[in-house]
Coordinates of all heavy atoms in Angstrom, one line a residue:
D1255 N 10.7 7.5 11.8 CA 10.0 6.5 11.1 C 11.1 5.4 10.6 O 11.9 5.6 9.8 CB 9.4 7.1 9.8 CG 8.6 6.2 9.0 OD1 8.9 4.9 9.1 OD2 8.0 6.6 8.0
V1256 N 11.1 4.3 11.4 CA 12.1 3.2 11.3 C 11.8 2.2 10.1 O 12.6 1.4 9.8 CB 12.4 2.5 12.6 CG1 12.8 3.5 13.7 CG2 11.1 1.8 13.0
V1257 N 10.6 2.5 9.6 CA 10.2 1.3 8.5 C 10.6 1.8 7.1 O 11.0 1.2 6.3 CB 8.6 1.0 8.6 CG1 8.3 0.1 7.5 CG2 8.3 0.4 10.0
R1258 N 10.2 3.2 6.8 CA 10.4 3.7 5.5 C 11.8 3.4 4.9 O 12.1 3.0 3.8 CB 10.0 5.1 5.5 CG 10.3 5.9 4.1 CD 9.9 5.1 2.9 NE 8.4 5.4 2.6 CZ 7.7 4.6 1.8 NH1 8.3 3.6 1.2 NH2 6.5 5.0 1.5
P1259 N 12.9 3.7 5.8 CA 14.2 3.5 5.2 C 14.5 2.1 4.8 O 15.4 1.8 3.9 CB 15.1 4.0 6.3 CG 14.3 4.9 7.2 CD 12.9 4.3 7.1
R1260 N 13.9 1.1 5.4 CA 14.1 -0.4 5.2 C 13.0 -1.0 4.2 O 13.1 -2.0 3.8 CB 14.0 -1.1 6.6 CG 15.2 -0.7 7.5 CD 15.0 -1.1 8.8 NE 16.1 -0.8 9.6 CZ 16.3 0.3 10.4 NH1 15.4 1.2 10.2 NH2 17.4 0.6 11.0
A1261 N 11.9 -0.1 3.9 CA 10.9 -0.6 3.0 C 10.6 0.6 2.2 O 9.4 1.2 2.2 CB 9.7 -1.1 3.7
P1262 N 11.5 1.0 1.3 CA 11.3 2.3 0.5 C 10.2 2.2 -0.6 O 10.0 1.0 -1.2 CB 12.7 2.5 -0.2 CG 13.3 1.2 -0.2 CD 12.8 0.5 1.1
G1263 N 9.6 3.2 -0.9 CA 8.6 3.3 -2.0 C 9.4 3.7 -3.4 O 10.6 3.7 -3.5
P1264 N 8.6 3.9 -4.4 CA 7.1 3.9 -4.4 C 6.4 2.5 -4.4 O 7.3 1.5 -4.8 CB 6.8 4.8 -5.6 CG 7.9 4.5 -6.5 CD 9.1 4.5 -5.7
G1265 N 5.2 2.5 -4.4 CA 4.5 1.1 -4.5 C 4.5 0.4 -3.4 O 4.1 -0.9 -3.4
V1266 N 5.0 0.7 -2.2 CA 4.9 0.1 -1.0 C 4.0 0.5 0.0 O 4.1 1.7 0.4 CB 6.4 0.1 -0.4 CG1 6.4 -0.6 1.1 CG2 7.4 -0.5 -1.2
Y1267 N 2.9 -0.3 0.2 CA 1.9 0.2 1.0 C 1.5 -0.7 2.2 O 2.1 -1.8 2.2 CB 0.6 0.2 0.1 CG 0.8 1.1 -1.1 CD1 0.7 0.6 -2.4 CD2 1.4 2.4 -1.3 CE1 0.9 1.3 -3.6 CE2 1.7 3.2 -2.3 CZ 1.3 2.5 -3.6 OH 1.5 3.2 -4.7
T1268 N 0.6 -0.3 3.1 CA 0.2 -1.0 4.2 C -1.4 -1.3 4.2 O -1.9 -2.1 4.9 CB 0.5 -0.4 5.5 OG1 -0.2 0.8 5.5 CG2 2.0 -0.1 5.5
Y1269 N -2.1 -0.6 3.2 CA -3.5 -0.7 3.2 C -4.1 -0.7 1.7 O -3.5 0.1 1.0 CB -4.1 0.6 3.9 CG -5.6 0.8 3.7 CD1 -6.6 0.1 4.4 CD2 -5.9 1.8 2.8 CE1 -7.9 0.3 4.1 CE2 -7.4 2.0 2.5 CZ -8.4 1.3 3.1 OH -9.6 1.5 3.0
W1270 N -5.0 -1.5 1.5 CA -5.6 -1.6 0.2 C -7.2 -1.7 0.5 O -7.6 -2.7 1.1 CB -5.1 -2.8 -0.7 CG -3.7 -2.8 -1.0 CD1 -3.1 -2.4 -2.0 CD2 -2.6 -3.2 0.0 NE1 -1.7 -2.6 -1.9 CE2 -1.4 -3.0 -0.6 CE3 -2.6 -3.7 1.4 CZ2 -0.2 -3.4 0.1 CZ3 -1.4 -4.1 1.9 CH2 -0.2 -3.9 1.3
D1271 N -7.9 -0.8 -0.1 CA -9.4 -0.8 0.1 C -10.0 -2.1 -0.5 O -9.4 -2.6 -1.4 CB -10.0 0.3 -0.5 CG -11.5 0.6 -0.2 OD1 -12.3 -0.1 -0.6 OD2 -11.8 1.4 0.8
Y1272 N -11.0 -2.7 0.2 CA -11.7 -3.9 -0.4 C -12.3 -3.7 -1.7 O -12.5 -4.7 -2.5 CB -12.7 -4.3 0.7 CG -12.2 -5.0 1.9 CD1 -12.7 -4.5 3.1 CD2 -11.3 -6.1 1.9 CE1 -12.2 -5.0 4.3 CE2 -10.8 -6.6 3.1 CZ -11.4 -6.1 4.2 OH -10.9 -6.6 5.5
T1273 N -12.6 -2.5 -2.0 CA -13.5 -2.2 -3.3 C -12.6 -1.9 -4.4 O -11.4 -1.8 -4.3 CB -14.4 -0.9 -3.1 OG1 -13.5 0.3 -3.0 CG2 -15.2 -1.1 -1.9
Q1274 N -13.1 -2.2 -5.7 CA -12.6 -2.0 -7.0 C -11.1 -2.7 -7.1 O -10.4 -2.2 -8.0 CB -12.4 -0.4 -7.2 CG -13.7 0.4 -7.0 CD -13.4 1.9 -7.2 OE1 -13.0 2.2 -8.3 NE2 -14.0 2.8 -6.4
L1275 N -11.1 -3.9 -6.5 CA -9.9 -4.7 -6.8 C -8.6 -3.9 -6.5 O -7.6 -4.1 -7.1 CB -10.0 -5.3 -8.3 CG -11.0 -6.2 -8.5 CD1 -10.9 -6.5 -10.0 CD2 -11.1 -7.3 -7.6
R1276 N -8.6 -3.1 -5.5 CA -7.5 -2.3 -5.1 C -6.1 -3.0 -4.8 O -5.1 -2.8 -5.3 CB -7.8 -1.3 -3.9 CG -8.9 -0.2 -4.2 CD -8.4 0.7 -5.2 NE -9.3 1.8 -5.2 CZ -9.6 2.7 -6.3 NH1 -8.9 2.4 -7.4 NH2 -10.4 3.6 -6.3
F1277 N -6.4 -4.2 -4.2 CA -5.3 -4.9 -3.8 C -4.5 -5.6 -5.0 O -3.3 -5.3 -5.3 CB -5.5 -6.0 -2.8 CG -4.3 -6.8 -2.4 CD1 -3.3 -6.3 -1.5 CD2 -4.2 -8.1 -2.7 CE1 -2.2 -6.9 -1.2 CE2 -3.1 -8.9 -2.4 CZ -2.1 -8.3 -1.6
P1278 N -5.2 -6.3 -5.9 CA -4.5 -6.9 -7.1 C -4.1 -5.9 -8.0 O -3.1 -6.1 -8.8 CB -5.6 -7.8 -7.6 CG -6.8 -7.4 -7.2 CD -6.6 -6.9 -5.8
K1279 N -4.7 -4.8 -8.0 CA -4.2 -3.6 -9.0 C -3.1 -2.9 -8.3 O -2.5 -2.0 -8.8 CB -5.4 -2.7 -9.2 CG -6.5 -3.2 -10.1 CD -7.6 -2.3 -10.3 CE -8.7 -2.7 -11.1 NZ -9.8 -1.8 -11.2
R1280 N -2.7 -3.2 -7.1 CA -1.6 -2.6 -6.3 C -1.9 -1.2 -6.1 O -1.0 -0.2 -6.2 CB -0.3 -2.7 -6.9 CG 0.2 -4.1 -7.1 CD 1.5 -4.3 -7.8 NE 1.9 -5.7 -7.8 CZ 2.7 -6.3 -6.9 NH1 3.1 -5.4 -5.7 NH2 3.1 -7.5 -6.8
Q1281 N -3.1 -0.9 -5.8 CA -3.6 0.6 -5.6 C -3.8 0.7 -4.0 O -4.9 0.7 -3.5 CB -4.8 0.9 -6.4 CG -4.5 0.7 -7.8 CD -5.9 0.9 -8.6 OE1 -7.1 0.9 -8.2 NE2 -5.8 1.2 -10.0
G1282 N -2.7 1.0 -3.4 CA -2.7 1.1 -1.8 C -2.3 2.3 -1.3 O -2.1 3.3 -2.0
M1283 N -2.1 2.4 0.0 CA -1.7 3.6 0.8 C -0.8 3.1 1.9 O -1.0 1.9 2.3 CB -2.9 4.4 1.4 CG -3.9 4.8 0.5 SD -5.4 5.4 1.3 CE -4.6 7.0 1.9
R1284 N 0.2 3.8 2.3 CA 1.2 3.6 3.4 C 0.6 4.4 4.5 O 0.9 5.6 4.6 CB 2.6 3.8 3.1 CG 3.5 3.3 4.3 CD 4.9 3.5 4.0 NE 5.2 4.9 4.1 CZ 6.0 5.5 5.2 NH1 6.3 4.6 6.1 NH2 6.3 6.6 5.2
I1285 N -0.2 3.9 5.4 CA -0.8 4.7 6.5 C -0.5 4.1 7.9 O -1.0 4.6 8.9 CB -2.3 5.0 6.3 CG1 -3.1 3.6 6.1 CG2 -2.6 5.7 5.1 CD1 -4.6 3.8 6.1

């Protein structure tokens, strides 16, 4: 996994559901 070492978490995601304002709330997933 060549991305995680250069973009460490927590709070670093690639996907945020359209519902319930997930993106502005920073409620995402790294998938």
